[in-house]
């Protein structure tokens, strides 16, 4: 794995790669199997500075990345093997990434699956604003607060609603995802 793509704003989290569990995973397990993505691509998402994140999309390991300004595409497991689940090794790090983003740069969270929705436990509790049951007519009534992490749950996430919140935050809209 290559750390060269990691932006310096993520440096408070880099100590996570020195834990016994991660070093065992990196030095003992990974070299024995073919894994994806390629070593140079594992940390590419972390080339985005934390301050530039507008929307976080948490997805399964196998999903293809979407590259768009401000959309942080976070896999639940940064690597996966053909027949091996690596999530147990990545989960402690992913939880810290989620908390770090939520504290450093409150943003919009897109959580399409039950598993991704379980990560709301890693958002600071007083900053969570669940954007559920809002319609096109009521979405305008969502209060704006710079400290809120706005959470969309479910597979049918309305881009129009996401863009409305981005506008309220003074940020540019997403084209699609």
């Amino acid at each position: 794995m290559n750390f060269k793509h990691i932006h310096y704003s993520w440096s408070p989290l880099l100590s996570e790669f020195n834990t016994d569990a991660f070093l065992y995973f990196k030095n003992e397990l990974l070299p024995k199997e073919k894994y994806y993505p390629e070593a140079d691509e594992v940390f590419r998402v972390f080339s985005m500075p934390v301050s530039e994140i507008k929307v976080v999309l948490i997805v399964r390991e196998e999903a293809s990345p979407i590259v768009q300004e401000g959309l942080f595409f976070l896999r639940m497991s940064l690597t996966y093997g053909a027949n091996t689940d690596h999530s147990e090794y990545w989960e402690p790090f992913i939880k810290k990434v989620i908390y770090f983003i939520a504290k450093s740069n409150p943003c919009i969270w897109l959580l399409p699956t039950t598993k991704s929705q379980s990560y709301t436990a890693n958002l600071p509790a007083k900053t969570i604003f669940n954007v559920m049951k809002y319609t096109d007519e009521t979405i305008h009534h969502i209060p704006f607060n710079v400290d809120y992490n706005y959470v969309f749950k479910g597979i049918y996430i309305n881009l129009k609603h996401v863009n409305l919140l981005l506008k309220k935050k003074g940020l540019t809209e997403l084209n699609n995802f």
Side-chain angles (χ1 to χ4, degrees):
M1 283 183 273
N2 190 331
F3 298 101
K4 71 180 181 182
H5 297 295
I6 299 176
H7 187 267
Y8 71 87
S9 61
W10 296 100
S11 60
L13 296 176
L14 297 182
S15 64
E16 292 302 308
F17 300 121
N18 294 322
T19 64
D20 290 340
F22 185 80
L23 290 172
Y24 171 76
F25 169 64
K26 180 183 172 231
N27 298 327
E28 301 294 326
L29 296 181
L30 277 183
K32 295 177 183 174
E33 72 171 332
K34 175 73 174 155
Y35 66 90
Y36 303 94
E38 297 292 326
D40 280 351
E41 297 298 314
V42 172
F43 295 107
R44 186 167 294 282
V45 70
F46 294 98
S47 64
M48 181 184 295
V50 177
S51 63
E52 292 181 12
I53 297 171
K54 298 188 291 191
V55 177
V56 177
L57 174 60
I58 301 179
V59 294
R60 295 192 44 83
E61 300 80 9
E62 297 87 357
S64 298
I66 299 167
V67 177
Q68 187 173 158
E69 187 178 327
L71 178 59
F72 190 78
F73 187 87
L74 182 60
R75 291 184 173 114
M76 290 182 243
S77 180
L78 297 184
T79 61
Y80 57 95
N83 299 311
T84 312
D85 180 11
H86 297 172
S87 59
E88 71 179 282
Y89 299 102
W90 287 111
E91 189 168 42
F93 176 69
I94 297 301
K95 287 179 176 180
K96 290 184 178 175
V97 166
I98 291 167
Y99 184 81
F100 184 70
I101 294 169
K103 284 293 279 184
S104 304
N105 184 24
C107 58
I108 296 170
W109 298 81
L110 308 180
L111 310 174
T113 66
T114 302
K115 176 62 178 167
S116 65
Q117 291 167 23
S118 72
Y119 285 106
T120 56
N122 301 100
L123 297 172
K126 293 183 180 184
T127 70
I128 299 171
F129 190 94
N130 285 306
V131 184
M132 300 294 295
K133 301 178 184 167
Y134 281 90
T135 65
D136 286 345
E137 292 79 34
T138 61
I139 194 74
H140 301 282
H141 301 295
I142 291 178
F144 172 70
N145 186 317
V146 294
D147 296 324
Y148 281 175
N149 283 287
Y150 294 94
V151 178
F152 287 83
K153 296 179 181 177
I155 58 172
Y156 299 108
I157 296 169
N158 188 327
L159 179 61
K160 185 169 139 183
H161 294 181
V162 171
N163 281 334
L164 178 71
L165 287 174
L166 288 172
K167 281 175 97 173
K168 281 187 172 194
K169 293 177 74 125
L171 300 171
T172 57
E173 298 177 1
L174 298 178
N175 296 322
N176 58 42
F177 54 83

